[in-house]
C-alpha cells in the first residue's frame, strides 16, 4: 500500500505526526503483565504501584459508613482486580461472599484468573468464576466470586435477598445494559430489606451523581445519606490521541491502513483496533492477512475478538506473541471494558458502534450502526495506557469528536423488554410499571413488551405469569420468541431441529466470505448447496446437519464454513439438550425432515414478526405497516420473492432489512395465532 493512501492523523493542537513519533517513550519504561503464579512477588509489587492502592483505606472507610459506594476511577486504575482483594484481606468475606458482576463472560473469566494468580492460587479456590454453563466455585473455599450479571439474576430466583452475599460489586456500570439496570433496580429493593448488604457501583465513566441519588435511601432531609461517591485519580500510563485531518469514506479499510502504518513506523507494542461487529472484524482480518502474505514476513499475529467467539479462541488474545512478532487484535466493543489484553500500546477507534434499537410501533428490534459516545471512546482509549505510554488513533476528525454525545443511551430505553418483564414477574414483582429503574424505559416500549408477552401466552389477562408457558419462557436464557418456539416444538415433535436452529442463531454467521474474486465465487457456489426455498433457518439447519456428520476443519474449509462458529453452535446445542432433558422435562423429538412442521413451529414463536409482499413490490409488516426489504445475505435475496415471510431480526443500514427469514403460508398465522391475527385483518392487509 502506497504511503499516499495511508490515513493522515493530526494531534490535537499540533500540526505534526512525525515529531510526536520521535518523542515516543523508550522501552525502558515497559512493565509486563506476568501470568505465572510463581512470580507472586513481582505481582505484589505491581499491585502496590496501581493508582487505586493509595485509596484503599478511603474505600474501606466509605463501605464501613455507607451502604452504597459509587467508585469512579480511570481505566487501568485497578478497580476490578484490587477492590475485591482489599475487602477479602480486611475480613469482609466473613460477612458473606464478595460478588463481582461483569457485563461479559470473557471479562469474568480473565479477571478471576488474574486475581487468583495475584493470590498465588488457581481459579476456583478462594477466587471463583461463574458464567452460563461454566462454574468454577468451591462452596467451602470460594470467597470472591466473579460472574456475569445474568448469573446473579438467576441466583435471585432461588434467593431473592441474596443472603449468601455480604458485598456486591457491579463493575463496568457505565455500559448500562438491560441486565445492568435490572440488577441495579433489584439491588435497591434488596438494600431496603438488607441494610447489612454493601453495594459498590464501579466504572471509569459512570454518571456518578445519578447512581448516588438512585441508591440514596434516606427518607428525611435530616437523615444521613446512605450512598457516597469516591473518585480515584490517576492511571498507570498516559496516552496521546490523534485525529484524522479529513473524514474517511470506509473505516474498515482505514483501520487496516492505520494498522500497517503503525506496524511499519512505530516502536514495538501490540495494536488493538475497534470495529462494530463480527463481519467487519473478519473483513479486516482477511485484508491484513493479505498484506502479511504479500510482504512475505511472519512478523504479525492477527487475532479476532468478538462475543460469539468460543472461549478458547477468545483467550488466545491474552497470550504474548513470539519474539519479533507484533500482536494485532481486531475487536468489537467486547474489549472496551474490563477485558485487559496484555501488551497493547496502540489503539485504533473506528468511531462507530452497533446498537439494538427497539420500535414499539412494529414491536421489532433493529441493529443500527451509530456514532459512538465520548464516554465509550474514552473507554476504548484507556486500553492504550496499560503497560507504557500509548497512542490512540481516532478515525474521525476532532470536529466530529466535539459533536459526539456524552453517553450512549442506556439499553433499557432502546430495546425489547420481554425478557426483563418475564424475569421480574418470575421474581414476584407484579407491578412492573412502578418498578424503579435507574433510567426508566419509555412507557410505550414497556406496554408493547407486555402486549407481546400476552400474545405469546406468557402472561394472562391480569398480567401474571401463566403455567406452564410463562414460567418456561422465564427459565430460558434467550429471547421470548425463541423460547415459545422451543416450547411448541415439544408439542409438534420437532424439538431436535428447533434446538439446532436456536443454537445456530446464537453464533451469527457460519458462512465464510473470502475477499478475493475466485474464492468469493467458490464460496457462493458452496453456500448454494445448503440453500433451500423455505428460507434461512432451514438453510442453517442443513448446514448444521452436514457439519454434525463430519465436524472437521477440512469439511468447513471445503464448504467455506466458519469452523469456530459451528463448533460453538454444537456446544450450545449440547448444553441446551442437557438442560431440556434434566430440568424442563421437554422431550427431544425429531420430525425426520418434515420441513412444513418445522416452519409451522417457527411461526408459532415468531408470528408477531410476519410480513407480506405489498403490490408496490416492498414487504410490509402485518401490524404497524412498516416497509421492509430482504437482506442481501439471505438465501431468498436472488430468488422470486415469496408472498408471506417470518423474520427473526431487522438491520437498519440504507433501509430496514429482514434477516433470518422463513417462507410461510398466510393461513398459518390465523391457525397458529388466532388471538393475534384475524382473517379479515390479514385479508385487508394483503
Amino acid at each position: 500500500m502506497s504511503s499516499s493512501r495511508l490515513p493522515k492523523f493530526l494531534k490535537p493542537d499540533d500540526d505534526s505526526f512525525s515529531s510526536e513519533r520521535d518523542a515516543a517513550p523508550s522501552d525502558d519504561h515497559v512493565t509486563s503483565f506476568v501470568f505465572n503464579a510463581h512470580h507472586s512477588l513481582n505481582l505484589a509489587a505491581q499491585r502496590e504501584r496501581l493508582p487505586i492502592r493509595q485509596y484503599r483505606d478511603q474505600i474501606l472507610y466509605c463501605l464501613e459508613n455507607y451502604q452504597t459506594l459509587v467508585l469512579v476511577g480511570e481505566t487501568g486504575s485497578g478497580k476490578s482486580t484490587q477492590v475485591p482483594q482489599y475487602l477479602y484481606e480486611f475480613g469482609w468475606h466473613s460477612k458473606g461472599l464478595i460478588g463481582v458482576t461483569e457485563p461479559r463472560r470473557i471479562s469474568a473469566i480473565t479477571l478471576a484468573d488474574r486475581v487468583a494468580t495475584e493470590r498465588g492460587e488457581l481459579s476456583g479456590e478462594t477466587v471463583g468464576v461463574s458464567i452460563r454453563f461454566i462454574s468454577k466455585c468451591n462452596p467451602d473455599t470460594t470467597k470472591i466470586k466473579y460472574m456475569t450479571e445474568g448469573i446473579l439474576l438467576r441466583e435471585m430466583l432461588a434467593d431473592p435477598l441474596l443472603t449468601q452475599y455480604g458485598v456486591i460489586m457491579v463493575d463496568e456500570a457505565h455500559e448500562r445494559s438491560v441486565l445492568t439496570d435490572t440488577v441495579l433496580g433489584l439491588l435497591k429493593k434488596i438494600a431496603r430489606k438488607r441494610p447489612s448488604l454493601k453495594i459498590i457501583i464501579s466504572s471509569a465513566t459512570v454518571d456518578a451523581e445519578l447512581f448516588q441519588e438512585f441508591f440514596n435511601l434516606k427518607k428525611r432531609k435530616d437523615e444521613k445519606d446512605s450512598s457516597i461517591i469516591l473518585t480515584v485519580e490517576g492511571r498507570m500510563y498516559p496516552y496521546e490521541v490523534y485525529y484524522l485531518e479529513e473524514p474517511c469514506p470506509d473505516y474498515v479499510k482505514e483501520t487496516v491502513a492505520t494498522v500497517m502504518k503503525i506496524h511499519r513506523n512505530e516502536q514495538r507494542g501490540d495494536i488493538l483496533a475497534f470495529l462494530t461487529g463480527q463481519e467487519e472484524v473478519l473483513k479486516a482480518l482477511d485484508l491484513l492477512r493479505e498484506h502479511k502474505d504479500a510482504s512475505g514476513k511472519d512478523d504479525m499475529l492477527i487475532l479476532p475478538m468478538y462475543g460469539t467467539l468460543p472461549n478458547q479462541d477468545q483467550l488466545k488474545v491474552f497470550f504474548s506473541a513470539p519474539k519479533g512478532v507484533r500482536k494485532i487484535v481486531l475487536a468489537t466493543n467486547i474489549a472496551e471494558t474490563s477485558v485487559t489484553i496484555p501488551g497493547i500500546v496502540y489503539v485504533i477507534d473506528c468511531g462507530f458502534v452497533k446498537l439494538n434499537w427497539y420500535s414499539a410501533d412494529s414491536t421489532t428490534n433493529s441493529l443500527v450502526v451509530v456514532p459512538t459516545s465520548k464516554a465509550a471512546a474514552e473507554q476504548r482509549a484507556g486500553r492504550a495506557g496499560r503497560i507504557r505510554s500509548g497512542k490512540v488513533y481516532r478515525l474521525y476528525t476532532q470536529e466530529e469528536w466535539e459533536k459526539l454525545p456524552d453517553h450512549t443511551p442506556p439499553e433499557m430505553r432502546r430495546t425489547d423488554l420481554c425478557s426483563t418483564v418475564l424475569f421480574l414477574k418470575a421474581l414476584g414483582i407484579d407491578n412492573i410499571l412502578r418498578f424503579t429503574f435507574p433510567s426508566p424505559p419509555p412507557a410505550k416500549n414497556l406496554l408493547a413488551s407486555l402486549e407481546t408477552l400476552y400474545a405469546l401466552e406468557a402472561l394472562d389477562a391480569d398480567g401474571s405469569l401463566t403455567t406452564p408457558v410463562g414460567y418456561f419462557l422465564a427459565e430460558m436464557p434467550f429471547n421470548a420468541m425463541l423460547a415459545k418456539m422451543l416450547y411448541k416444538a415439544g408439542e409438534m415433535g420437532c424439538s431436535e431441529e428447533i434446538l439446532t436452529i436456536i443454537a445456530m442463531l446464537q453464533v451469527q454467521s457460519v458462512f465464510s466470505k473470502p475477499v478475493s474474486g475466485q474464492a468469493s465465487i467458490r464460496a457462493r457456489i458452496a453456500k448454494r448447496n445448503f440453500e433451500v426455498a423455505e428460507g434461512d433457518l432451514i438453510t442453517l439447519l442443513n448446514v448444521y446437519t452436514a457439519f454434525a456428520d463430519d465436524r472437521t476443519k477440512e469439511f468447513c474449509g471445503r464448504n467455506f464454513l466458519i469452523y469456530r462458529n459451528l463448533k460453538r453452535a454444537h456446544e450450545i446445542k449440547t448444553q441446551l439438550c442437557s438442560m431440556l432433558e434434566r430440568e424442563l422435562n421437554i422431550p427431544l423429538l425429531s420430525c425426520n425432515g418434515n420441513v412444513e412442521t418445522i416452519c409451522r413451529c417457527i411461526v408459532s414463536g415468531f408470528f408477531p414478526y410476519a410480513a407480506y409482499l405489498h403490490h408496490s413490490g416492498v414487504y410490509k409488516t402485518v401490524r404497524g405497516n412498516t416497509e421492509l426489504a430482504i437482506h442481501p445475505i439471505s438465501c431468498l435475496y436472488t430468488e422470486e420473492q415469496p408472498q408471506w415471510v417470518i423474520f427473526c431480526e431487522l438491520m437498519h443500514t440504507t433501509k430496514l432489512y429482514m434477516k433470518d427469514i422463513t417462507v410461510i403460508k398466510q393461513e398459518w398465522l390465523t391457525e397458529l395465532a388466532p388471538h393475534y391475527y384475524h382473517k379479515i385483518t390479514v385479508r385487508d392487509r394483503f
Side-chain angles (χ1 to χ4, degrees):
M1 185 178 290
S2 63
S3 60
S4 62
R5 295 177 61 189
L6 293 174
K8 295 181 179 180
F9 288 90
L10 180 69
K11 180 186 174 185
D13 304 320
D14 198 351
D15 58 358
S16 168
F17 169 79
S18 59
S19 62
E20 184 56 35
R21 188 185 68 208
D22 295 337
S26 69
D27 288 346
D28 295 335
H29 296 90
V30 174
T31 301
S32 297
F33 282 97
V34 181
F35 289 89
N36 189 329
H38 298 291
H39 290 80
S40 57
L41 290 177
N42 291 341
L43 288 171
Q46 288 180 34
R47 289 186 64 197
E48 291 297 316
R49 290 197 296 270
L50 286 169
I52 202 167
R53 173 62 182 84
Q54 59 184 310
Y55 293 88
R56 183 188 66 183
D57 295 342
Q58 290 91 324
I59 292 169
L60 296 171
Y61 173 83
C62 289
L63 281 179
E64 287 283 0
N65 291 275
Y66 297 89
Q67 187 170 11
T68 302
L69 168 62
V70 181
L71 184 61
V72 183
E74 291 192 57
T75 301
S77 58
K79 305 181 301 299
S80 304
T81 59
Q82 302 309 304
V83 171
Q85 291 190 75
Y86 296 157
L87 296 172
Y88 178 82
E89 290 162 0
F90 282 82
W92 282 74
H93 60 279
S94 62
K95 303 176 182 179
L97 277 174
I98 300 166
V100 186
T101 70
E102 297 294 334
R104 295 181 177 85
R105 55 193 172 94
I106 192 64
S107 304
I109 292 171
T110 54
L111 286 171
D113 286 342
R114 173 68 183 185
V115 173
T117 304
E118 288 184 359
R119 293 187 49 76
E121 58 187 46
L122 297 174
S123 177
E125 297 175 12
T126 304
V127 184
V129 60
S130 181
I131 63 174
R132 190 174 66 173
F133 304 126
I134 298 175
S135 180
K136 291 183 180 179
C137 294
N138 186 317
D140 298 322
T141 62
T142 297
K143 303 299 180 184
I144 301 173
K145 183 178 179 180
Y146 284 87
M147 58 192 147
T148 54
E149 292 155 340
I151 292 295
L152 184 65
L153 288 174
R154 292 289 164 188
E155 291 187 7
M156 287 183 188
L157 290 174
D159 183 11
L161 293 180
L162 297 176
T163 53
Q164 61 176 320
Y165 290 93
V167 182
I168 295 288
M169 178 175 176
V170 181
D171 201 15
E172 306 301 342
H174 79 280
E175 290 203 4
R176 302 298 304 279
S177 69
V178 169
L179 289 177
T180 302
D181 278 15
T182 305
V183 165
L184 294 176
L186 290 168
L187 284 177
K188 182 176 181 178
K189 292 180 72 70
I190 295 171
R192 293 185 186 277
K193 299 286 186 180
R194 282 191 61 203
S196 61
L197 178 68
K198 301 294 183 177
I199 301 168
I200 303 173
I201 312 299
S202 165
S203 177
T205 57
V206 74
D207 189 345
E209 289 77 14
L210 170 69
F211 286 110
Q212 192 270 338
E213 183 62 32
F214 181 73
F215 279 98
N216 193 359
L217 304 180
K218 72 174 185 179
K219 298 179 181 178
R220 301 190 309 271
K221 289 185 177 180
D222 58 340
E223 283 185 353
K224 176 185 172 183
D225 289 341
S226 64
S227 58
I228 190 172
I229 300 171
L230 178 64
T231 302
V232 176
E233 297 180 353
R235 56 175 297 104
M236 289 189 66
Y237 299 96
Y239 56 83
E240 298 188 78
V241 182
Y242 299 89
Y243 296 88
L244 282 178
E245 292 178 327
E246 299 176 357
C248 65
D250 186 336
Y251 57 79
V252 177
K253 291 182 179 178
E254 294 291 359
T255 296
V256 173
T258 306
V259 167
M260 296 309 300
K261 183 174 184 178
I262 295 170
H263 183 59
R264 291 168 181 164
N265 300 319
E266 289 289 350
Q267 299 179 17
R268 68 183 180 90
D270 297 336
I271 302 171
L272 173 60
F274 286 98
L275 294 166
T276 64
Q278 176 182 337
E279 291 183 9
E280 291 182 354
V281 166
L282 296 177
K283 180 180 177 182
L285 185 71
D286 291 336
L287 290 172
L288 281 172
R289 284 176 176 167
E290 286 186 4
H291 280 286
K292 179 180 176 181
D293 295 340
S295 69
K297 297 179 181 179
D298 193 19
D299 57 353
M300 291 192 296
L301 177 62
I302 310 163
L303 298 170
M305 189 178 190
Y306 45 86
T308 57
L309 205 61
N311 283 350
Q312 59 269 34
D313 291 330
Q314 289 187 17
L315 292 173
K316 289 179 182 178
V317 303
F318 299 100
F319 300 116
S320 299
K323 188 175 181 180
V325 176
R326 191 193 298 267
K327 182 169 64 179
I328 299 165
V329 181
L330 305 170
T332 61
N333 60 346
I334 188 176
E336 190 176 294
T337 53
S338 283
V339 174
T340 300
I341 302 173
I344 298 299
V345 175
Y346 307 101
V347 167
I348 302 169
D349 179 5
C350 72
F352 290 89
V353 65
K354 188 180 289 184
L355 297 177
N356 262 318
W357 211 273
Y358 180 70
S359 168
D361 294 328
S362 61
T363 66
T364 54
N365 271 314
S366 304
L367 272 176
V368 187
V369 177
V370 298
T372 188
S373 65
K374 289 180 179 176
E378 290 295 341
Q379 280 287 74
R380 292 177 175 185
R383 305 293 105 185
R386 291 303 182 94
I387 67 167
R388 74 166 191 246
S389 298
K391 293 184 179 181
V392 179
Y393 301 89
R394 289 176 173 157
L395 303 185
Y396 44 92
T397 63
Q398 194 166 3
E399 290 74 21
E400 289 301 317
W401 160 260
E402 299 297 338
K403 298 176 184 177
L404 293 178
D406 291 334
H407 296 278
T408 304
E411 189 179 12
M412 185 66 71
R413 300 185 63 84
R414 53 178 174 80
T415 195
D416 174 25
L417 299 172
C418 286
S419 296
T420 304
V421 171
L422 280 174
F423 181 80
L424 293 177
K425 290 286 185 181
L427 274 177
I429 299 171
D430 292 324
N431 196 341
I432 303 294
L433 295 174
R434 294 184 64 86
F435 183 77
T436 306
F437 291 105
S439 296
K444 192 176 183 181
N445 290 9
L446 195 54
L447 182 60
S449 297
L450 288 169
E451 289 177 346
T452 300
L453 289 173
Y454 180 71
L456 290 172
E457 301 175 324
L459 299 179
D460 59 22
D462 297 325
S464 302
L465 278 183
T466 57
T467 304
V469 178
Y471 285 95
F472 179 87
L473 268 57
E475 282 285 331
M476 288 294 97
F478 34 78
N479 74 53
M481 292 184 187
L482 286 175
K484 178 62 183 294
M485 182 174 73
L486 181 58
Y487 178 84
K488 296 297 289 186
E491 298 178 1
M492 294 184 175
C494 57
S495 51
E496 182 80 30
E497 288 82 2
I498 293 299
L499 263 184
T500 299
I501 291 172
I502 290 174
M504 292 290 277
L505 288 174
Q506 306 302 307
V507 296
Q508 297 184 12
S509 177
V510 295
F511 296 104
S512 177
K513 297 178 181 177
V515 177
S516 63
Q518 288 299 318
S520 178
I521 294 171
R522 292 200 302 272
R524 179 62 189 146
I525 294 172
K527 185 180 179 183
R528 285 185 183 275
N529 293 331
F530 299 105
E531 291 178 348
V532 289
E534 288 81 4
D536 300 313
L537 298 191
I538 307 302
T539 298
L540 290 177
L541 179 60
N542 286 346
V543 171
Y544 182 89
T545 303
F547 172 74
D549 293 335
D550 197 320
R551 295 222 301 271
T552 63
K553 290 184 178 180
E554 291 73 22
F555 169 82
C556 293
R558 290 194 307 271
N559 292 280
F560 291 88
L561 300 172
I562 301 173
Y563 174 75
R564 57 180 174 269
N565 285 4
L566 282 167
K567 182 181 176 185
R568 176 64 180 157
H570 178 71
E571 293 171 356
I572 291 173
K573 183 185 177 183
T574 302
Q575 293 156 351
L576 289 175
C577 286
S578 175
M579 177 190 294
L580 284 186
E581 291 181 316
R582 187 181 66 252
E583 300 176 14
L584 301 173
N585 200 28
I586 297 291
L588 279 176
L589 302 172
S590 173
C591 62
N592 298 316
N594 189 330
V595 177
E596 181 171 320
T597 299
I598 300 170
C599 291
R600 285 166 57 86
C601 188
I602 293 169
V603 172
S604 70
F606 281 91
F607 59 83
Y609 287 2
Y612 66 96
L613 184 62
H614 193 259
H615 60 76
S616 62
V618 300
Y619 281 94
K620 290 190 176 183
T621 54
V622 180
R623 286 195 172 191
N625 217 29
T626 306
E627 291 191 0
L628 307 172
I630 295 177
H631 196 282
I633 66 171
S634 171
C635 68
L636 300 174
Y637 184 70
T638 57
E639 304 296 324
E640 181 181 350
Q641 291 182 307
Q643 203 68 53
W644 287 85
V645 296
I646 288 280
F647 59 91
C648 296
E649 184 182 5
L650 292 180
M651 177 176 283
H652 189 209
T653 51
T654 54
K655 60 180 76 171
L656 265 177
Y657 285 111
M658 297 180 288
K659 294 181 66 180
D660 301 321
I661 304 169
T662 302
V663 178
I664 66 167
K665 295 180 181 178
Q666 175 187 347
E667 57 267 23
W668 292 351
L669 294 174
T670 51
E671 178 187 341
L672 296 169
H675 57 291
Y676 197 79
Y677 294 109
H678 303 290
K679 289 185 179 180
I680 188 168
T681 305
V682 174
R683 191 180 303 116
D684 289 346
R685 285 287 187 190
F686 182 69

